[in-house]
Amino acid sequence: MLLKFALSEFKSDRMYRNVSDRTLTAYMGLMNEFHQYCVENEIINVEDCTASFVKQYLLQCKEKGNNPTTVNSKLHILKIFFNYFETEMEVFTPKTNPTKRIIFAKEDVKIEVFTDAQIKQMLRFYQSIKYRDKSLYAYRDYFLIIWLLGSACRLGETVSLKWSDVDLVNQVITVNGKKRVASSIPMSDRLKREFIEYRIFVEKYFPTMPETVFTDRNGKPLTDNALKMVFKHLKVIMNFKNVRLSCHTFRHTAAHSMIMAGCDIGTIQKLLRHSNISMTLKYFSLWGTALAEQNEKFNPLNNMDI
């Protein structure tokens, strides 16, 4: 089968499976890149892709500056693609599937977090603009930081958040996470106050209340890229040297703060909506001081006369 037809077939199948637009974009972006690499190497049929060729492509990605996490993400999508043509289309067998035996690269476990000083610096920057200009961007981006720290939400959960998902009376927020799984998370008193203030501003700013919480100046929902640009702009202004300014760093920071305050692993897993506790355990293995303190405080041996 020609690769270009294979890509079209794969896209149709993913659309049939009703994957999210964000997921479909990620899949096809990588597969189009891989297709281009195949054409440059005179590979036009999907059957001609071998394990050696796929490894060669991944190695080139690494040489171009992709870190192990990015390379693994690309391999993950390639595995989904070739597994489809093995199990559904029977183009490959388990022995001929080129990605079957390719293992993921070992990743350096490093989770960056903001310091309290850095968080205050970002908030003060937006506060000064709020009081001076009273612009939508200043209010929105100030509240955005409060929201990310107070909810530990992902980028996708943030851009898709609707006002109808926010229950200020019962202090509960419904977020649509990975694989479109809706979850309810509690809203702290501080986050509720910030929500109320921001909503009042939005109601006065727009003639008609926007559907989503985070919008552009025309009231349209922020895209993934638009939200990334917010932090790209802030990065230039803040000039932090030791931490990446991104949506996910706020999520890591929220987890770090909870662990250092003594929160238990089960609660953190629920608040972060980790489907697998292994990711939560990574946080605890990195920031084990709080875990050690809790162990010292609650260890059963403390109360035994032995």
Side-chain angles (χ1 to χ4, degrees):
M1 179 184 289
L2 286 172
L3 257 170
K4 63 179 180 180
F5 293 145
L7 262 63
S8 178
E9 168 63 30
F10 178 69
K11 181 179 181 180
S12 296
D13 178 75
R14 297 302 110 171
M15 292 173 68
Y16 172 75
R17 292 170 186 255
N18 200 29
V19 301
S20 69
D21 291 341
R22 182 178 297 104
T23 300
L24 185 63
T25 299
Y27 284 173
M28 299 316 299
L30 182 277
M31 292 313 306
N32 288 329
E33 177 186 297
F34 179 70
H35 183 210
Q36 181 62 36
Y37 180 79
C38 290
V39 173
E40 291 172 356
N41 288 272
E42 301 182 354
I43 300 290
I44 60 173
N45 294 311
V46 68
E47 298 94 332
D48 295 331
C49 294
T50 63
S52 176
F53 181 76
V54 172
K55 286 181 181 178
Q56 181 183 324
Y57 162 72
L58 295 171
L59 182 61
Q60 187 198 65
C61 291
K62 184 178 179 181
E63 291 171 348
K64 285 185 174 181
N66 287 175
N67 61 36
T69 301
T70 301
V71 172
N72 283 343
S73 296
K74 291 183 175 182
L75 176 56
H76 173 69
I77 295 173
L78 288 170
K79 281 179 176 288
I80 293 173
F81 174 79
F82 284 107
N83 285 346
Y84 169 68
F85 282 95
E86 174 198 330
T87 59
E88 300 290 330
M89 304 298 290
E90 298 183 348
V91 173
F92 297 100
T93 67
K95 287 186 177 181
T96 60
N97 183 334
T99 60
K100 205 71 172 182
R101 292 178 176 81
I102 300 179
I103 62 174
F104 291 101
K106 184 175 290 187
E107 299 180 25
D108 296 326
V109 181
K110 182 183 178 183
I111 302 178
E112 299 175 335
V113 299
F114 296 116
T115 64
D116 289 350
Q118 288 171 331
I119 294 170
K120 290 176 182 177
Q121 184 178 337
M122 288 184 280
L123 291 175
R124 281 197 297 267
F125 167 72
Y126 286 123
Q127 278 178 324
S128 65
I129 303 177
K130 275 173 60 179
Y131 297 141
R132 185 177 71 243
D133 299 337
K134 293 182 170 56
S135 67
L136 170 68
Y137 296 136
Y139 274 82
R140 182 199 67 195
D141 296 350
Y142 173 87
F143 178 66
L144 176 62
I145 292 175
I146 296 292
W147 157 255
L148 292 173
L149 287 172
S151 67
C153 277
R154 304 177 178 92
L155 184 148
E157 295 167 339
T158 297
V159 295
S160 63
L161 184 69
K162 299 178 181 179
W163 284 108
S164 58
D165 297 327
V166 181
D167 184 347
L168 292 170
V169 176
N170 297 305
Q171 295 186 216
V172 175
I173 306 163
T174 302
V175 296
N176 294 296
K178 288 185 175 181
K179 300 180 180 179
R180 300 185 180 178
V181 176
S183 304
S184 295
I185 57 175
M187 182 192 309
S188 67
D189 291 340
R190 170 66 191 277
L191 186 56
K192 177 182 177 179
R193 292 196 299 270
E194 295 289 348
F195 252 116
I196 292 172
E197 181 181 336
Y198 179 63
R199 185 182 176 97
I200 290 172
F201 173 81
V202 171
E203 287 175 337
K204 291 181 178 179
Y205 188 90
F206 292 105
T208 304
M209 191 68 178
E211 183 180 15
T212 56
V213 174
F214 298 101
T215 69
D216 61 17
R217 61 185 175 185
N218 297 315
K220 295 181 179 179
L222 285 184
T223 62
D224 289 14
N225 189 58
L227 186 54
K228 290 176 182 177
M229 289 302 295
V230 169
F231 294 122
K232 187 174 182 179
H233 174 68
L234 186 59
K235 175 185 176 181
V236 175
I237 297 170
M238 295 292 105
N239 195 31
F240 296 149
K241 300 295 185 183
N242 61 339
V243 64
R244 187 167 70 102
L245 219 165
S246 71
C247 196
H248 225 68
T249 306
F250 285 100
R251 181 172 166 84
H252 294 327
T253 303
H256 176 262
S257 296
M258 287 188 286
I259 290 173
M260 299 311 290
C263 188
D264 65 273
I265 190 169
T267 299
I268 291 177
Q269 182 190 6
K270 290 178 181 177
L271 289 173
L272 297 181
R273 299 166 305 287
H274 286 155
S275 57
N276 192 314
I277 200 169
S278 61
M279 184 62 221
T280 320
L281 287 170
K282 285 184 180 180
Y283 289 139
F284 275 85
S285 66
L286 284 171
W287 306 314
T289 303
L291 188 61
E293 290 173 353
Q294 292 298 299
N295 179 55
E296 185 65 29
K297 183 177 180 180
F298 297 113
N299 194 283
L301 292 176
N302 294 344
N303 300 317
M304 292 184 182
D305 186 17
I306 54 176

